[in-house]
Amino acid sequence: MRIAELSRRADVPVPTIKYYLREGLLFPGERTSHNQAQYTEAHVRRLRLVRALIEVGGLSVAATREVLAKMYGPGMSVLDSAGKAQFAMVTPRPVIEDEAWEAATRHTDELIERLGWRVRATNPARQTLASALATLFRLGQTDQLKLLDGYARAARQAAEADLAQLRQERDPDTLLETAVIWTALGDVVFSALRRFAQENASYGAAAEEPAPSSARDTSEKPAAPSDPGVVENRTSP
Amino acid sequence: MRIAELSRRADVPVPTIKYYLREGLLFPGERTSHNQAQYTEAHVRRLRLVRALIEVGGLSVAATREVLAKMYGPGMSVLDSAGKAQFAMVTPRPVIEDEAWEAATRHTDELIERLGWRVRATNPARQTLASALATLFRLGQTDQLKLLDGYARAARQAAEADLAQLRQERDPDTLLETAVIWTALGDVVFSALRRFAQENASYGAAAEEPAPSSARDTSEKPAAPSDPGVVENRTSP
């Protein structure tokens, strides 16, 4: 197919396709004349993958190139490639090495040891977790640390369900794409479902909250659904 | 205290503090002369909150102002304020209204109904979830939809543990700050723990993966920890 059809099939504008070609996110088509090239189903598939990594995974062009290099690098098994791509998908955060950061890295190491999980020293998510915990230490919200073990159990269940699902896939290329895309998408899905669950749980909790501070107008009822007309679903589970 | 001490206490540079004052993220200090103002512990606290929302929550200055307006708006209960702030923390994603998007919104509605959760039509996380699911439909990775119910159970457990923890807090201002910050931080924490759990689970899975495609060099062993020296923790749970 020509580039116009590739654009239509993958729903990516032609100038964007040309940009991805220049940036090495898409391999070149087969040149048929000095200004034309033929593209294949493999190009459609790769473009959809690139688009998903950038739009939903929130990756930069440079990070996407890095992830693709890890995915399709030579001499690796499928799961090893997926693992390396997952490492490349973590955006490094700026680190301020204060006391809070030291307490947070110590807490991260202790959590991994307590869980008995095998997590490499090079796993970039160690820094992600430590950054988040450092914020709790800086804000004095250390009571929230009690939630970590429960979150770890939830994360373990999610990761094991992910892997069981991946094992159903027998085509190695689809397996690799799915593993990488779902790493990014699963975070977004969990975040959205957590917002739903927070709203749902808040309806039962409104009556039990502490008295509003004096700065608040207490004339309104504290019940959460102030406009019942927009509540979609009121059935209890 | 003067602005220099405020800067030191909150670990935010003076020019950034002045910027936040101009942008309305921080309320003004008490003016003591034409070019000096006095700041209080309330300023330190607010600055730390703003910094956490921007640095860890990834919010823009405009989104942070919106979240603060919802948090400290008049006439609301603490949990209602937290809920409104949570709504303001969701970054809207660009929507392409194709067939995949329609299937994804239908799937989102059906999931919420199946779960029996009360989730308003205005909850912006509906769009977040639908965007993620639309990507799965576009990539043909619809088998991953089977994972949704498990993720929903995990999200519910997390949200209920969050709420139980919040109920321990009797100071309404701390409760509000914690609820808002933890909404952002909890996502980051879960994402990091999921990466740990993925790596940990992969060590047991390497032997079971499908044969690598012909494009791969199969001369290397598919075992995941190719460099055992950097594995921090090898104890099985």
Side-chain angles (χ1 to χ4, degrees), chain A residues 114-131:
Chain A
R114 190 164 69 244
L115 292 167
W117 290 1
R118 283 167 59 182
V119 178
R120 291 186 203 200
T122 52
N123 190 323
R126 282 175 175 267
Q127 199 195 317
T128 309
L129 183 61
S131 287

Side-chain angles (χ1 to χ4, degrees), chain A residues 189-197, chain B residues 111 115 117 129 148 151-152 155:
Chain A
V189 164
F190 180 82
S191 166
L193 290 169
R194 184 167 165 253
R195 295 292 179 291
F196 293 170
Chain B
L111 174 69
L115 293 166
W117 290 1
L129 183 60
L148 282 179
Y151 271 68

Side-chain angles (χ1 to χ4, degrees), chain B residues 94-170:
Chain B
V95 168
I96 304 146
E97 297 198 355
D98 55 4
E99 271 177 45
W101 172 255
E102 276 172 38
T105 49
R106 206 164 48 237
H107 216 88
T108 300
D109 293 344
E110 285 167 6
L111 174 69
I112 292 170
E113 193 168 328
R114 190 164 69 244
L115 293 166
W117 290 1
R118 284 167 59 182
V119 178
R120 290 187 204 199
T122 51
N123 190 323
R126 283 175 174 267
Q127 199 196 315
T128 309
L129 183 60
S131 287
L133 300 188
T135 298
L136 290 182
F137 280 106
R138 285 185 199 117
L139 293 169
Q141 295 184 359
T142 47
D143 278 351
Q144 301 301 100
L145 295 170
K146 293 177 202 154
L147 294 167
L148 282 179
D149 288 82
Y151 271 68
R153 275 193 298 277
R156 176 171 204 155
Q157 283 164 18
E160 289 178 352
D162 291 350
L163 200 61
Q165 178 62 38
L166 282 177
R167 280 193 185 128
Q168 308 295 313
E169 179 56 59
R170 305 318 292 178

Side-chain angles (χ1 to χ4, degrees), chain A residues 197-209 222-225 236-237, chain B residues 79 118 156 160 163 167:
Chain A
Q198 284 175 333
E199 184 184 340
N200 182 57
S202 76
Y203 294 116
E208 297 186 41
E209 66 176 303
S236 282
Chain B
L79 275 176
R118 284 167 59 182
R156 176 171 204 155
E160 289 178 352
L163 200 61
R167 280 193 185 128

Side-chain angles (χ1 to χ4, degrees), chain A residues 116 118 123 187 195 224 233 235, chain B residues 116 118 120 187 195 233 235:
Chain A
R118 283 167 59 182
N123 190 323
D187 287 349
R195 295 292 179 291
N233 192 322
T235 321
Chain B
R118 284 167 59 182
R120 290 187 204 199
D187 287 349
R195 294 292 179 292
N233 192 323
T235 320

Side-chain angles (χ1 to χ4, degrees), chain A residues 77-128:
Chain A
S77 74
V78 174
L79 275 177
D80 195 35
S81 300
K84 284 180 200 293
Q86 282 160 358
F87 275 24
M89 288 170 82
V90 177
T91 315
R93 287 158 182 273
V95 167
I96 304 146
E97 297 198 354
D98 55 5
E99 272 177 45
W101 171 255
E102 276 171 37
T105 49
R106 206 165 46 237
H107 216 88
T108 300
D109 294 344
E110 285 167 5
L111 174 69
I112 292 170
E113 193 169 327
R114 190 164 69 244
L115 292 167
W117 290 1
R118 283 167 59 182
V119 178
R120 291 186 203 200
T122 52
N123 190 323
R126 282 175 175 267
Q127 199 195 317
T128 309

Side-chain angles (χ1 to χ4, degrees), chain A residues 4-235:
Chain A
E5 191 185 342
L6 176 63
S7 165
R8 198 177 48 71
R9 288 281 311 284
D11 201 18
V12 174
V14 170
T16 307
I17 295 178
K18 290 184 174 171
Y19 173 61
Y20 289 167
L21 283 164
R22 282 198 304 277
E23 291 289 330
L25 301 190
L26 184 66
F27 41 93
E30 195 188 339
R31 199 153 285 282
T32 51
S33 76
H34 74 287
N35 63 354
Q36 260 184 24
Q38 282 291 319
Y39 299 91
T40 63
E41 288 302 319
H43 289 90
V44 176
R45 185 168 178 164
R46 175 64 64 89
L47 261 182
R48 287 185 175 148
L49 176 69
V50 166
R51 190 182 147 190
L53 288 171
I54 290 176
E55 289 182 8
V56 187
L59 265 62
S60 66
V61 165
T64 303
R65 189 168 40 222
E66 177 81 3
V67 168
L68 293 171
K70 301 291 185 196
M71 284 176 74
Y72 302 108
M76 294 183 280
S77 74
V78 174
L79 275 177
D80 195 35
S81 300
K84 284 180 200 293
Q86 282 160 358
F87 275 24
M89 288 170 82
V90 177
T91 315
R93 287 158 182 273
V95 167
I96 304 146
E97 297 198 354
D98 55 5
E99 272 177 45
W101 171 255
E102 276 171 37
T105 49
R106 206 165 46 237
H107 216 88
T108 300
D109 294 344
E110 285 167 5
L111 174 69
I112 292 170
E113 193 169 327
R114 190 164 69 244
L115 292 167
W117 290 1
R118 283 167 59 182
V119 178
R120 291 186 203 200
T122 52
N123 190 323
R126 282 175 175 267
Q127 199 195 317
T128 309
L129 183 61
S131 287
L133 300 188
T135 298
L136 290 182
F137 280 106
R138 285 184 200 118
L139 293 169
Q141 295 184 0
T142 47
D143 278 351
Q144 300 302 101
L145 295 170
K146 293 177 202 154
L147 294 167
L148 282 179
D149 288 82
Y151 271 67
R153 275 193 300 277
R156 176 171 205 156
Q157 283 164 18
E160 289 179 352
D162 291 350
L163 200 61
Q165 178 62 37
L166 282 177
R167 281 192 185 128
Q168 308 294 314
E169 179 56 59
R170 305 317 292 177
D171 174 54
D173 293 319
T174 305
L175 169 58
L176 180 57
E177 281 179 18
T178 306
V180 170
I181 287 292
W182 185 249
T183 292
L185 274 190
D187 287 349
V188 177
V189 164
F190 180 82
S191 166
L193 290 169
R194 184 167 165 253
R195 295 292 179 291
F196 293 170
Q198 284 175 333
E199 184 184 340
N200 182 57
S202 76
Y203 294 116
E208 297 186 41
E209 66 176 303
S213 82
S214 57
R216 283 164 201 293
D217 174 0
T218 56
S219 64
E220 282 191 25
K221 271 174 63 185
S226 53
D227 179 4
V230 295
V231 175
E232 280 284 271
N233 192 322
R234 295 181 146 268
T235 321

